Amino acid sequence: MATDSKSINTRCCIVGGGPAGMMLGLLLARAGIATVVLEKHGDFLRDFRGDTVHPSTLEILAELGLKDKFDALPQTRVQQLDAMFADGIHAVGDFRSLRPFPYMALVPQWDLLDLLATEAQGHDDFKLCMRHEATALLHDANGVVIGVLAKSPDGEIQVNADLVVGCDGRHSLLRAAAGLQPTDLGAPMDVLWFRLARLPSDPDGTYGVPGYGNFFVMLNRGEYWQIASVIAKGEVEQWRRQPIEDFRSRIVRKVAFLADRVDGIGSWDDVKLLQVRVDRLQQWHQPGLLLIGDAAHAMSPIGGVGINLAIQDAVAAGNILAQAMRAPGRPGESVLASIQQRRLLPTRIIQALQVFIQRRVIAPALASQVSDKPVALPRVARLLLGFSFIRSLPARIIGQGFRREHVRSPHR
Ligand SMILES: Cc1cc2nc3c(=O)[nH]c(=O)nc-3n(C[C@H](O)[C@H](O)[C@H](O)COP(=O)(O)OP(=O)(O)OC[C@H]3O[C@@H](n4cnc5c(N)ncnc54)[C@H](O)[C@@H]3O)c2cc1C
């Protein structure tokens, strides 16, 4: 990798140090392919990022020999997904029959990214440039992408590469710069995120709290609850107009045991908005450019699959690119197309399931009048959830997904 203060020459330039970018960077560097990752932030410490690490990702970490280091990160392990109904807590998903990892880990995303970054930095062929924000694509006279321009703390820098991979998330600048438009698949909801202290006397699990007009998902993060309050799309201003005290009372009416610490939400500044999007690019590549992860397909938060799909994309791309980029020069477009082809079907299936649940369950629930009355579990659902096979099905679909990827790229 040749570097001066104004330019870097490398084989692969990855834009975005999220789960997709850091995993792909590690895999390529490990395979001996010179790789630069540009990340616009100075650290990975962004709050309210996804942190559900599913069994499919645990398998990949084990294949990379990182499972022990991952296990040493602060985490809670979830074997069962529960929902709080009017008559108590019911199990709605069960990971215990999955092998080899019968659980989902809740790990702060920054810890996972730090682990991948540290591991990648152990390879000579890897360079991570924090505070480097890609601002434009560079093209040759034939329109082939040959690198990016980036803003760095020392001014503008040019990164020349045989391949640019856009892992820059749901608002991807590279995607826009390439003139690619994702198809919007629609989402009826947005999410208000906040955190409240968790006490030893609290229930142990990770819960959904169904409701009409608004419902909660409560992630057990050890010392605190990370709580998603799901609201109808576009209604955030209506919610924010109510005094924060009303919002606090609403929380307590839904989850009574939070009464003694709900004051932890001092003002609306403590409540963050996630605008939910579900979209997908028709074409994930152009000559010299590939897009993966949220940049190619933003996922609904249903099932907490976003990180895991991004990592699956990275592993598929790593397997194919490590082979294709052994020879010098630019990987052909057929190589890039084969990555899209491999990942399109599993992405489509999960998005179709998410959109189905959004339309059939979430949209009608959100369209009902807001009520804090607890919801009863319908009898037929209670009957079905009595079967362990039924409870393990959602865990299998979200935990392992479809067409599970395994690390096949070499370790040179
Ligand atoms: C509030 C919230 C909660 C979520 N909860 C979950 C969950 O519980 N479980 C789950 O699996 N998924 C969850 N998701 C989704 C999940 O975070 C994403 O699907 C996943 O992170 C996608 O990974 P990615 O690497 O493709 O993109 P991202 O994680 O979005 O990473 C993109 C990276 O690119 C960087 N970047 C952007 N533009 C540039 C640029 N021009 N130059 C350089 N760097 C750039 C960004 O700083 C960022 O680090 C959640 C998302 C949000 C927003």
Side-chain angles (χ1 to χ4, degrees), residues 100-329:
F101 299 111
Y103 63 90
M104 164 175 90
L106 294 181
V107 175
Q109 200 184 108
W110 53 86
D111 284 329
L112 174 64
L113 295 178
D114 271 336
L115 171 65
L116 298 177
T118 307
E119 203 58 29
Q121 278 162 327
H123 296 276
D124 293 341
D125 289 308
F126 182 81
K127 188 174 168 69
L128 174 60
C129 302
M130 301 301 283
R131 289 199 189 89
H132 280 60
E133 179 175 2
T135 52
L137 285 171
L138 296 168
H139 294 90
D140 71 6
N142 299 316
V144 176
V145 173
I146 53 168
V148 298
L149 282 181
K151 229 169 33 193
S152 83
D154 304 320
E156 188 165 81
I157 185 161
Q158 176 167 332
V159 184
N160 307 307
D162 289 335
L163 177 66
V164 173
V165 185
C167 300
D168 50 344
R170 59 182 56 202
H171 304 294
S172 172
L173 176 127
L174 295 200
R175 185 177 68 193
L180 296 170
Q181 270 279 352
T183 307
D184 186 1
L185 304 179
M189 77 271 206
D190 287 326
V191 178
L192 299 175
W193 279 106
F194 53 92
R195 60 167 68 177
L196 284 173
R198 194 176 160 274
L199 304 183
S201 53
D202 288 354
D204 216 15
T206 278
Y207 298 97
V209 187
Y212 296 110
N214 164 235
F215 52 88
F216 284 4
V217 178
M218 297 179 54
L219 302 178
N220 173 354
R221 299 259 306 239
E223 289 179 357
Y224 62 92
W225 291 103
Q226 183 169 326
I227 304 177
S229 169
V230 181
I231 62 170
K233 187 155 237 22
E235 289 192 354
V236 64
E237 283 317 316
Q238 218 167 301
W239 280 81
R240 281 188 178 143
R241 269 199 296 272
Q242 64 180 312
I244 198 68
E245 293 77 15
D246 291 6
F247 186 61
R248 287 192 207 127
S249 312
R250 189 176 289 278
I251 294 170
V252 175
R253 282 200 297 276
K254 263 196 186 314
V255 187
F257 70 77
L258 294 174
D260 54 357
R261 65 219 87 148
V262 77
D263 288 356
I265 305 175
S267 72
W268 280 105
D269 291 343
D270 297 327
V271 181
K272 312 283 178 232
L273 172 70
L274 162 66
Q275 286 177 315
V276 175
R277 271 193 76 78
V278 186
D279 64 27
R280 191 172 64 238
L281 276 180
Q282 219 160 11
Q283 182 155 326
W284 301 14
H285 54 87
Q286 281 183 351
L289 174 69
L290 172 70
L291 295 144
I292 61 170
D294 272 18
H297 49 74
M299 308 300 293
S300 165
I302 296 170
V305 292
I307 300 171
N308 303 278
L309 248 83
I311 286 190
Q312 296 275 309
D313 282 4
V315 173
N319 289 341
I320 292 172
L321 292 174
Q323 177 71 22
M325 293 183 79
R326 273 170 55 188

